[in-house]
Amino acid sequence: MRRTALLVSAALLTGLLPLASAGAATGAEEPPPVPVDRFEGEVPFASQPAEGIFTWGGDSDDPPELELAARDDAPEGDKVLSGTYDISGYGGFTHDFAANEPGHDWSAHKGIRFWWDGKNTGKRVSFEIKDGGANGEASELWTTSFTDEWTGWHQVEIPFSDFAYRTDYQPVGGIDQNLGLTQMWGYALTLPTGTPGTFAMDGVELYGKADPALTTKVLTGAAVYPVKEGGTAGVRISVATTGSAPLAEPVTVAYESAGGSAGAGTDYTPVKGEFTFPAGTASGATHTVSVPTLKDKAAEPAETIPLKLTVTGAKAPAETPQVVIDAHGLPYLDAKLPVKRRVADLLSRMSLEEKTGQMTQAERNAVGTGGDVAAYDLGSLLSGGGSTPTPNTAAAWAKMIDGFQLRAQATRFQIPLIYGVDAVHGHNNLVGATVLPHNIGIGATRDPGTAEKAGAVTAAEVRATGIPWDFAPCLCVTRDERWGRSYESFGEDPALVKQMETVVQGLQGARDGKDLDRDDKVLATAKHFVGDGGTEYGSSTTGSYTIDQGVTKVTRQELEAVHLAPFQEAVDRGIGTVMPSYSSLDIIGDDEGPVKMHADAAMINGVLKDRMGFDGFVISDWQAIDQLPGDYASDVRTSVNAGLDMIMVPTAYKDFRTTLIDEVKAGRISEPRIDDAVSRILTQKFKLGLFEKPYADTSGAAAIGSAGHRAVARTAAAESQVLLKNAGGVLPLKKSQKVYVAGSNADDIGNQTGGWTVTWQGSSGKITDGTTVLEGMKKAAPGATISYSKDASAPTDGYDVGVVVVGETPYAEGIGDVGNGNDLELTPADQAAVDKVCGAMKCAVLIVSGRPQLIGDRLGDIDALVASWLPGTEGDGVADVLYGAKPFTGQLPVTWPKSQAQLPINVGDTAYDPQFPFGWGLTTLRTPPGGGTLTLKALALAAAAAQKAGSAEAGRAVVGKARLLVQQKVGQEITPAVAEPFADADHLLLSGRYADAVAKLTEAYRAA
């Protein structure tokens, strides 16, 4: 069965992928088919920015194997694209058009078709096309599917009208949700999973004449039009064409108010009519239909008035617009009443379906334009890491979230959504926001004031985009630096984590929640309850993770002292929500074995809610209940009965809500448990002021990324720099020196901000606004000779000092686990840069990373060593300490190991022999006191007096002087006899035991 495509012009013969479809047909003529792929070798196997076919998959085994195979029965030409696959997660292939050329215009055609060699498997194959955007990997995805239900070659025809906007994933968060067809970047196929298979396809081409309904659409200004009782709603109806051309033919719209919960003649005046947009009307022209509502004296819930539209000559709106008469006169709407009374009133009116909706959180991409918000009474939406609007601006965030909030106004009680986002070091999903150091750097500052200010900057920028809820802070106590989330922790000592929990007040304001309705505060989330930082290496069963989401095996005493203590502090500070950990808890001696935290009723109900007195609500982690043993009904039942109040089910919100309803009706989840969960959720919504102000207050948007906010981040970055070694006083630099700068992280904003920046995993390069370390140095020493050679390949002669900035590239969560393609060694390129520069001149090495890097074998050749952590967007802060505008004051928040074999290593260990102990950090702020042991004796007396008086400021000052004295004597000769008491002293200082801290430092001094 050989077929040759009809090619009617030389242009088509020489250019199989024309930039515009061949001569748009007129009248009844259909344009000739336009080949996209013949698979004769004209399109290579390649990837962006070159044009090509490439494979992809969920893991290394999922991408299919492809070849261009000669077949006698090829439907078109001599070869076909054939392949084999065995996919466990997801996999398929893509043909992307070249990113450095204009997109292709498919708008003259009806659809796309291709030949498929059927195996009659009965399985569905997804087919998607790429519309608009910058290129094929930054486009909008539209998807459909076909079923392999025949044997042999069959031509699959897919009209463009069959494609739907993909709601589960969009590369750039979606663009305009309009299939324009004028800038197309290719197509992709997702192959079946579960069993091995083979496939073959041929002759991909555009066919048919465009359906006029695809090029002309009738749109409504909104899907929902709230109006106060007695007011008149104006429903805006407009016409739009592809390419914004004037209408070629008239478009008629008939409208009629019909159905809904409002009563015609009693709640509103019925309307019915028709109007026409004449031929030649400009694209974007608008007509408004007025719907008058009537006023009575009864208090009542919201009522809906659908406005049915019948369109001739264009594609009708995807949804029927609804006028909504606002709920009014009910006690829960009275802002003067106590929150508790408002909650009780609203809860008493809600159905089971409405209650379970409040317990359901979906991802914003999954709900598309948002119709399901009202259809399923959803209580919450979130943006996963990197799930952003397009363009990724503050205004677009606010518009997007307001659009979702508008949908909630179509529900009976108009309960507003609570929208959440992972703003873990600033509003990190928003390009241009202030990105602060990750928590590990904040822990290094030892400054609760800085932590609180960092939280305040984050809250202000997040709330200014319409988001009232932040999934932060992480109160994990990191106990093993092989963990890919180490940088999300303030440190390895619970006393340090507790000290940094001033961030909660920065985010939420007052402990009683009275500030939550402010336009610069957000609801905070303590995560991940409990023990996520203590998982054992090798215990994870999640994909290729080695430690993240694994098992924390501890005694009950260690659990209380290390992992639970920060959560009690958070509860005391009024934290509004708590998120359980993916990990499991195995308490030694209780004989229960590992229990997934999302199923641990003893910890969530018993400890968190009952013993600690937590009165906020518990939100699950992303799809976390799916990891529980048993079927889905069991997952839902177990997690809710364990104390989870809201479940993050990004795409499975329909199944979750249905299952939850079924479980309640079957008596396996009690109605009081549901009422408790919903009461907790509603309480926070009332405190946030969402019922009175559901939409974004953007009055603070001008401060996003402002000089004032960046000043806070700059200070935090400077305070987070830990000076580990400074032989010969290399640092601070002098502005008169000629400086040779090298290393992979000297001039890379993406690397210095790390994971959870713009996207979930973060990425290298110029991903957001900010100042790199190199740029900061040039600003700090204008006119100075500062040369940069990333790989240190440039000549090194004639320089006074070298600065080599090395470390990690971004990662997040288990993707960053050591053993999952990562280690704690510098890359060969970074090692070479250190060796070359430090071999040629005095040098300072800055390590930009989320955790310690193994540097011991090079330490002798390095004059100055700085742990820079992940300083965020303000490289100026790093430059401030390098050039002495601010002093080095940071201290290690975690132990710096000598080798990976030592891990885990933490303060308090009986065998403790690190490269640098917990709390180590030289300073350029002041010189150490003299007097040796006599001075230490005097400091011990002063520390005891400060401790007795409860003077934290005096106590810290005294212990700080003793630290300086010890570090001066020790130098780089850090023996176990020195390291152990030195680290213990820092723990004691953090715990307020100043006299004991000086005693330990005296012990370290004597051992040096």
Side-chain angles (χ1 to χ4, degrees):
M1 183 173 62
R2 182 177 297 275
R3 184 186 72 89
T4 302
L6 177 62
L7 304 177
V8 296
S9 72
L12 290 181
L13 285 168
T14 57
L16 293 176
L17 292 170
L19 299 183
S21 297
T26 59
E29 288 184 28
E30 289 201 354
V34 174
V36 175
D37 274 333
R38 298 179 65 231
F39 302 119
E40 299 300 304
E42 77 282 1
V43 179
F45 293 106
S47 59
Q48 290 282 332
E51 179 183 339
I53 299 170
F54 64 94
T55 61
W56 38 266
D59 57 39
S60 59
D61 297 329
D62 283 349
E65 297 288 334
L66 303 181
E67 66 170 334
L68 298 176
R71 291 255 306 242
D72 290 338
D73 64 344
E76 198 284 325
D78 299 315
K79 295 179 181 178
V80 302
L81 179 68
S82 66
T84 60
Y85 59 89
D86 185 3
I87 303 169
S88 58
Y90 63 89
F93 64 92
T94 292
H95 176 185
D96 264 0
F97 303 156
N100 57 358
E101 297 177 4
H104 300 275
D105 188 347
W106 292 359
S107 63
H109 292 272
K110 179 179 181 179
I112 190 167
R113 65 189 180 193
F114 52 89
W115 291 88
W116 187 264
D117 187 14
K119 308 296 182 185
N120 201 22
T121 63
K123 294 194 172 184
R124 300 188 73 80
V125 180
S126 295
F127 189 97
E128 69 187 21
I129 53 179
K130 303 185 170 196
D131 176 57
N135 56 59
E137 297 309 290
S139 59
E140 194 166 75
L141 305 182
W142 291 74
T143 187
T144 186
S145 63
F146 65 93
T147 303
D148 183 347
E149 53 189 4
W150 62 86
T151 301
W153 289 108
H154 174 79
Q155 192 172 42
V156 180
E157 290 192 345
I158 306 176
F160 291 130
S161 58
D162 283 0
F163 285 90
Y165 178 80
R166 185 170 170 179
T167 58
D168 58 338
Y169 169 71
Q170 289 290 340
V172 290
I175 299 172
D176 58 7
Q177 299 187 22
N178 177 49
L179 182 57
L181 296 173
T182 59
Q183 190 181 21
M184 304 302 294
W185 295 104
Y187 64 89
L189 281 84
T190 303
L191 298 167
T193 61
T195 57
T198 62
F199 76 92
M201 70 181 297
D202 199 11
V204 183
E205 66 182 21
L206 310 176
Y207 76 95
K209 181 184 177 183
D211 180 349
L214 282 177
T215 58
T216 305
K217 299 180 180 180
V218 168
L219 306 171
T220 58
V224 179
Y225 290 86
V227 61
K228 293 187 181 301
E229 185 188 43
T232 297
V235 179
R236 299 183 305 279
I237 301 170
S238 62
V239 64
T241 62
T242 298
S244 298
L247 290 185
E249 298 179 5
V251 173
T252 300
V253 180
Y255 59 88
E256 180 180 8
S257 56
S261 57
T266 55
D267 294 314
Y268 69 97
T269 302
V271 295
K272 183 177 182 179
E274 181 179 289
F275 61 90
T276 299
F277 294 106
T281 298
S283 178
T286 299
H287 182 92
T288 300
V289 174
S290 296
V291 181
T293 68
L294 304 174
K295 193 167 187 177
D296 59 33
K297 296 182 179 180
E300 53 194 351
E303 297 172 303
T304 58
I305 310 166
L307 188 65
K308 182 181 178 182
L309 303 179
T310 304
V311 177
T312 304
K315 187 174 182 179
E319 296 180 68
T320 296
Q322 293 188 85
V323 173
V324 179
I325 304 172
D326 288 338
H328 53 277
L330 302 173
Y332 77 88
L333 295 170
D334 186 353
K336 295 179 181 179
L337 293 177
V339 167
K340 188 173 183 180
R341 183 174 168 188
R342 297 177 75 184
V343 170
D345 176 70
L346 178 52
L347 189 69
S348 71
R349 301 174 186 278
M350 296 170 67
S351 67
L352 175 61
E353 289 72 19
E354 288 164 330
K355 292 174 183 177
T356 54
Q358 286 300 301
M359 297 173 66
T360 307
Q361 184 183 62
E363 215 281 334
R364 63 114 192 167
N365 265 322
V367 299
T369 57
D372 281 354
V373 169
Y376 294 91
D377 295 294
L378 297 181
S380 180
L381 294 180
L382 83 151
S383 279
S387 179
T388 66
T390 301
N392 188 356
T393 63
W397 276 93
K399 181 180 178 182
M400 174 186 73
I401 294 167
D402 281 355
F404 290 132
Q405 285 288 17
L406 182 63
R407 296 292 190 153
Q409 295 300 300
T411 60
R412 201 161 59 117
F413 298 113
Q414 298 181 307
I415 303 173
L417 292 166
I418 180 170
Y419 199 101
V421 67
D422 288 275
V424 299
H425 61 141
H427 195 354
N428 44 254
N429 287 289
L430 172 63
V431 171
T434 305
V435 179
L436 295 119
H438 269 295
N439 282 355
I440 196 74
I442 299 296
T445 72
R446 291 296 201 281
D447 187 343
T450 291
E452 184 169 355
K453 290 175 184 176
V457 166
T458 299
E461 297 200 2
V462 168
R463 194 68 182 255
T465 57
I467 302 169
W469 186 14
D470 185 5
F471 304 133
C474 186
L475 302 183
C476 47
V477 182
T478 179
R479 306 293 284 178
D480 191 329
E481 277 58 65
R482 291 171 290 190
W483 187 35
R485 302 190 82 140
S486 292
Y487 63 75
E488 293 189 52
S489 172
F490 291 115
E492 71 185 33
D493 187 338
L496 174 57
V497 175
K498 289 171 65 177
Q499 190 178 83
M500 294 298 107
E501 289 189 53
T502 50
V503 69
V504 174
Q505 265 54 67
L507 291 165
Q508 291 194 166
R511 298 186 184 213
D512 62 2
K514 68 180 179 64
D515 294 334
L516 284 173
D517 63 349
R518 282 172 38 178
D519 63 4
D520 63 346
K521 294 300 173 189
V522 294
L523 193 68
T525 307
K527 64 183 188 183
H528 303 90
F529 187 81
V530 61
D532 54 336
T535 50
E536 288 189 345
Y537 187 80
S539 66
S540 181
T541 56
T542 300
S544 56
Y545 295 7
T546 58
I547 185 169
D548 188 31
Q549 303 185 20
V551 179
T552 299
K553 192 171 185 178
V554 289
T555 63
R556 188 165 292 278
Q557 181 181 11
E558 185 180 358
L559 173 66
E560 294 283 347
V562 176
H563 299 291
L564 278 171
F567 286 92
Q568 182 65 68
E569 176 74 14
V571 171
D572 292 344
R573 288 181 173 275
I575 196 80
T577 62
V578 170
M579 181 183 290
S581 175
Y582 282 113
S583 58
S584 301
L585 182 62
D586 186 359
I587 301 175
I588 297 170
D590 69 357
D591 299 324
E592 289 188 20
V595 178
K596 279 282 188 183
M597 279 310 309
H598 280 72
D600 200 330
M603 295 305 301
I604 298 172
N605 283 329
V607 174
L608 178 64
K609 290 184 173 180
D610 293 343
R611 193 188 84 190
M612 290 185 177
F614 173 62
D615 59 3
F617 70 88
V618 178
I619 170 69
S620 88
D621 210 332
W622 180 280
Q623 292 180 327
I625 68 169
D626 294 352
Q627 295 188 8
L628 302 183
D631 59 19
Y632 194 65
S634 173
D635 295 345
V636 172
R637 176 172 65 252
T638 300
S639 59
V640 173
N641 283 335
L644 270 69
D645 303 306
M646 182 183 288
I647 315 296
M648 190 185 295
V649 278
T651 59
Y653 57 92
K654 297 177 186 177
D655 289 342
F656 167 76
R657 182 170 172 272
T658 299
T659 303
L660 181 56
I661 291 169
D662 290 345
E663 289 296 298
V664 174
K665 289 181 176 178
R668 292 184 287 268
I669 298 175
S670 71
E671 291 198 36
R673 169 77 273 266
I674 299 297
D675 287 350
D676 172 61
V678 177
S679 294
R680 290 169 176 268
I681 295 165
L682 293 177
T683 296
Q684 299 303 325
K685 289 187 176 184
F686 280 118
K687 285 183 176 181
L688 285 162
L690 295 178
F691 282 82
E692 289 70 49
K693 296 186 295 183
Y695 302 114
D697 181 345
T698 58
S699 58
I704 295 174
S706 65
H709 285 182
R710 291 184 183 275
V712 173
R714 179 174 181 166
T715 297
E719 291 182 357
S720 72
Q721 303 300 294
V722 181
L723 184 58
L724 299 173
K725 179 182 179 181
N726 195 25
V730 170
L731 295 176
L733 303 172
K734 298 177 180 62
K735 294 181 181 180
S736 60
Q737 290 176 310
K738 294 179 68 176
V739 184
Y740 185 102
V741 181
S744 60
N745 287 348
D747 194 31
D748 194 306
I749 199 77
N751 287 356
Q752 75 184 42
T753 52
W756 288 108
T757 308
V758 183
T759 59
W760 174 40
Q761 290 294 315
S763 60
S764 301
K766 178 64 175 175
I767 62 172
T768 191
D769 301 331
T771 303
T772 66
V773 173
L774 176 65
E775 291 167 343
M777 292 177 65
K778 290 180 176 179
K779 289 166 65 178
T785 301
I786 300 175
S787 301
Y788 174 57
S789 175
K790 181 176 180 179
D791 60 359
S793 59
T796 56
D797 297 336
Y799 291 91
D800 299 313
V801 64
V803 175
V804 191
V805 189
V806 294
E808 296 185 304
T809 53
Y811 55 81
E813 301 191 34
I815 303 297
D817 284 354
V818 166
N820 189 19
N822 303 282
D823 56 38
L824 300 180
E825 302 281 352
L826 297 180
T827 65
D830 277 350
Q831 291 177 11
V834 170
D835 292 344
K836 183 173 181 181
V837 176
C838 293
M841 66 191 81
K842 290 181 179 180
C843 73
V845 174
L846 278 61
I847 299 180
V848 172
S849 64
R851 54 196 167 191
Q853 303 292 283
L854 302 175
I855 197 75
D857 57 344
R858 286 173 167 76
L859 190 56
D861 299 321
I862 296 170
D863 297 293
L865 180 64
V866 179
S868 287
W869 308 112
L870 297 168
T873 52
E874 307 315 299
D876 286 327
V878 180
D880 283 339
V881 293
L882 288 179
Y883 276 97
K886 293 182 180 179
F888 279 97
T889 56
Q891 295 175 243
L892 282 181
V894 293
T895 300
W896 198 284
K898 287 181 176 178
S899 71
Q900 193 164 301
Q902 288 184 317
L903 298 176
I905 182 171
N906 295 287
V907 57
D909 289 353
T910 52
Y912 191 70
D913 183 21
Q915 192 83 66
F916 299 101
F918 176 77
W920 188 265
L922 307 177
T923 185
T924 55
L925 177 62
R926 61 177 69 90
T927 57
T933 53
L934 289 176
T935 299
L936 286 171
K937 288 181 180 179
L939 292 172
L941 293 173
Q947 185 169 323
K948 184 177 181 180
S951 175
E953 184 177 355
R956 286 194 296 267
V958 170
V959 177
K961 290 179 181 179
R963 280 183 64 255
L964 294 178
L965 199 156
V966 173
Q967 287 185 149
Q968 182 186 50
K969 183 181 181 185
V970 169
Q972 292 297 303
E973 301 301 319
I974 305 175
T975 64
V978 168
E980 185 175 342
F982 187 94
D984 288 345
D986 203 50
H987 167 73
L988 292 166
L989 167 64
L990 291 163
S991 304
R993 296 167 61 186
Y994 311 122
D996 293 337
V998 173
K1000 282 290 183 181
L1001 287 169
T1002 302
E1003 181 183 337
Y1005 184 87
R1006 288 171 176 161

